[in-house]
Amino acid sequence: MNRTNFGSKLGVLAATAGSAVGLGNIWRFPYEVGENGGAAFILVYFTCIFLIGFPIMLSEFALGRLGQQNVMGTFRAMGHKRWNWIGYAGVLCCFLIMGFYAVVMGWTLEYVYQAVVYGFEGKTAEDLSQAFTDFSSQTGRPIYWSAVCIVATCAVILQGVTKGIERVSKMLMPLLFVLLIILGVRSLTLEGGMEGLRFLFTPDFSKIDPDVLLSAMGQAFFSLSLGMGCMITYGSYMSKKNNLGLTAFQVTSIDTLVALLSAIAVFPAVFAMGMSPAQGPQLVFVTLPSIFTQMPGGYVWAIAFFVLLAIAALTSTISLVEVVTAFFSEEFKMKRRTAAIMCSAIILGMAVLASLSMGIWANVKILGHTFFDLFDTISAKYLMPIGGLGISIFSGWVLDQKRLELEVTNQGTLKARFFKGYVFVLKYLIPLAIVSIFLNELGLFSI
Ligand code: TRP
């Protein structure tokens, strides 16, 4: 079968960066930073991004383009069926992520609605925090919004890869970027805002404990869409001429920049308004509206921001649902349409569980976690790093090195002076880092 290719160089970048940049950067990153002590977490996070994230992204692209298949088919096509487990784990992971991601994306739509209908003017931080809790713990409304998000994602998927994904990301991602910069400036110039910068950039190393390490690594995987075959699937749609190393570098850099910008928008305001940095998932939904109340024209900024955030989330959910759609349609010979609709239905079921666990099911705990937490923890902290471990071992030790080199260098037409270093990192450094972070977390080994 001739796979669809992304249309242009810019299209490839827009689609992959669109997958990476999403709620992970703007919603999850700030609250992880807040809960894990600030600057020290950021330092560990950067290390994970460049030492673990970038090489794994390059490998995923290379494996995808080599195999020309969905996550599972890739390993079979390369003649290594035993590594199919990475594909199964990826598919499971995808459903788990979508289960809570759709809920948070639904929140952003509610905030678009609130921004349009009421505006946030005149509300104090306490009002906003209360309003968030009131809304997210309701039964019907958050589920309704998640359903809207799931249907929207499914609709884009049904339009096909090139047309749908590229067009949306290409135009709107740069806008989001500019808006974040404006918000950052406003936040920094609030009285007392500088305290927030100190929190972000003056590390207190005593804060680094096993949990911080695991959280930072999980966040790196989550934010770059790694470890579950998303970038394998996108790699399979890339043209043979695309420079994979360069794309991986650009995506990694853009993703990191957006995460940093959103932290710079959030934390000065948190300190200026005397809020707690460690308030968890509601952080962005309380902090940003309070910045809007302090801006001239805040009404319009608020609408623009939540609309763009919803779109950034959409380009990410598309990449997630594409993984499972490609998997079911190719592995089980289903029509793409049937596969996409079936996956969306499963995701809706999971989103209902995650959403209810913010309200009437808050006391239903599995292994000490609510459904929402459980989906997030299993995927980001465990399945993705384990998938990443598999991918680095596979591409460093199992796959024929010549094949990997030819793929990364576009059959020898690109110089790749970094190739030896890259393979070294795949073979030794990444497996060692991931395994020691796990053992450390389990208390079996201390760094
Ligand atoms: N990276 C996206 C974000 O930061 C989320 C995402 C999209 C994702 N595709 C993924 C996470 C695949 C893990 C795996 O919001």
Side-chain angles (χ1 to χ4, degrees):
M1 188 186 74
N2 202 355
R3 288 177 85 76
T4 342
N5 274 328
F6 285 128
S8 65
K9 265 194 201 151
L10 186 63
V12 174
L13 185 60
T16 38
S19 164
V21 175
L23 298 171
N25 307 60
I26 294 167
W27 160 74
R28 199 174 190 276
F29 181 72
Y31 97 70
E32 288 279 331
V33 170
E35 283 187 337
N36 290 293
F41 175 88
I42 296 189
L43 213 67
V44 181
Y45 175 75
F46 281 175
T47 316
C48 289
I49 288 280
F50 285 98
L51 233 55
I52 304 180
F54 167 73
I56 291 185
M57 185 178 291
L58 179 53
S59 293
E60 289 205 21
F61 287 162
L63 297 185
R65 201 171 63 173
L66 250 174
Q68 291 290 301
Q69 294 277 336
N70 62 80
V71 239
M72 271 252 314
T74 279
F75 294 95
R76 190 181 49 234
M78 287 184 288
H80 295 284
K81 249 173 104 171
R82 289 232 317 261
W83 289 80
N84 277 358
W85 65 267
I86 296 181
Y88 286 119
V91 170
L92 171 66
C93 192
C94 199
F95 285 118
L96 290 169
I97 296 175
M98 274 305 291
F100 72 90
Y101 206 93
V103 173
V104 182
M105 188 176 164
W107 297 344
T108 67
L109 290 190
E110 164 75 14
Y111 273 68
V112 171
Y113 171 83
Q114 288 193 10
V116 173
V117 177
Y118 312 111
F120 300 110
E121 272 119 87
K123 303 225 168 86
T124 63
E126 285 90 66
D127 295 340
L128 290 164
S129 169
Q130 191 59 43
F132 177 84
T133 315
D134 290 346
F135 159 68
S136 62
S137 57
Q138 281 176 33
T139 301
R141 210 171 157 83
I143 293 179
Y144 164 77
W145 285 123
S146 319
V148 172
C149 296
I150 295 166
V151 170
T153 306
C154 187
V156 180
I157 295 274
L158 293 179
Q159 288 263 313
V161 178
T162 348
K163 266 191 290 172
I165 307 175
E166 279 181 39
R167 215 171 28 192
V168 183
S169 354
K170 234 188 311 205
M171 297 180 308
L172 295 167
M173 301 302 292
L175 272 183
L176 179 67
F177 202 75
V178 174
L179 205 70
L180 275 175
I181 294 180
I182 297 174
L183 280 176
V185 172
R186 175 65 272 219
S187 181
L188 277 173
T189 48
L190 290 172
E191 204 181 313
M194 283 301 154
E195 190 54 35
L197 272 197
R198 218 159 300 137
F199 179 74
L200 291 178
F201 298 110
T202 326
D204 169 359
F205 292 100
S206 66
K207 295 244 165 77
I208 301 182
D209 63 13
D211 245 357
V212 169
L213 291 177
L214 188 63
S215 302
M217 176 167 72
Q219 174 62 21
F221 274 97
F222 187 85
S223 190
L224 293 173
S225 309
L226 295 178
M228 44 74 75
C230 196
M231 293 305 183
I232 293 183
T233 307
Y234 272 22
S236 79
Y237 300 135
M238 287 181 189
S239 100
K240 289 286 177 196
K241 288 204 213 88
N242 189 49
N243 185 338
L244 301 182
L246 182 65
T247 307
F249 180 74
Q250 288 166 330
V251 174
T252 314
S253 311
I254 295 173
D255 189 78
T256 309
L257 207 58
V258 173
L260 257 188
L261 284 178
S262 41
I264 293 176
V266 167
F267 286 99
V270 164
F271 284 88
M273 302 187 191
M275 298 186 245
S276 151
Q279 42 187 310
Q282 66 163 351
L283 182 66
V284 162
F285 291 95
V286 174
T287 316
L288 292 181
S290 22
I291 303 180
F292 298 129
T293 63
Q294 308 280 324
M295 284 169 86
Y299 180 77
V300 179
W301 291 117
I303 299 173
F305 177 78
F306 284 110
V307 168
L308 288 173
L309 183 55
I311 292 166
L314 181 66
T315 55
S316 300
T317 53
I318 292 168
S319 74
L320 282 157
V321 178
E322 178 61 28
V323 174
V324 277
T325 305
F327 169 77
F328 283 105
S329 66
E330 293 174 6
E331 296 296 313
F332 297 94
K333 305 276 169 289
M334 280 182 193
K335 286 209 187 81
R336 258 185 79 87
R337 199 183 164 74
T338 320
I341 293 173
M342 182 192 82
C343 293
S344 301
I346 300 174
I347 290 166
L348 182 60
M350 312 221 9
V352 168
L353 296 181
S355 184
L356 292 180
S357 77
M358 302 297 290
I360 54 169
W361 285 358
N363 293 324
V364 180
K365 300 260 169 85
I366 297 167
L367 307 168
H369 295 282
T370 61
F371 282 113
F372 187 101
D373 252 11
L374 187 75
F375 296 168
D376 181 309
T377 305
I378 300 184
S379 56
K381 288 197 179 156
Y382 297 99
L383 284 178
M384 292 160 78
I386 291 171
L389 181 64
I391 288 164
S392 68
I393 294 177
F394 179 81
S395 42
W397 294 95
V398 181
L399 184 67
D400 177 35
Q401 289 303 293
K402 199 71 211 153
R403 273 176 93 186
L404 183 65
E405 184 168 0
L406 285 175
E407 197 58 42
V408 170
T409 60
N410 291 356
Q411 314 305 317
T413 57
L414 296 173
K415 279 208 203 85
R417 261 175 266 125
F418 65 88
F419 188 76
K420 281 219 173 75
Y422 157 67
V423 172
F424 177 83
V425 171
L426 285 179
K427 273 188 146 150
Y428 304 101
L429 215 78
I430 296 179
L432 201 71
I434 298 181
V435 170
S436 39
I437 288 177
F438 275 132
L439 293 181
N440 191 25
E441 168 77 10
L442 295 174
L444 297 177
F445 164 77
S446 77
I447 297 174

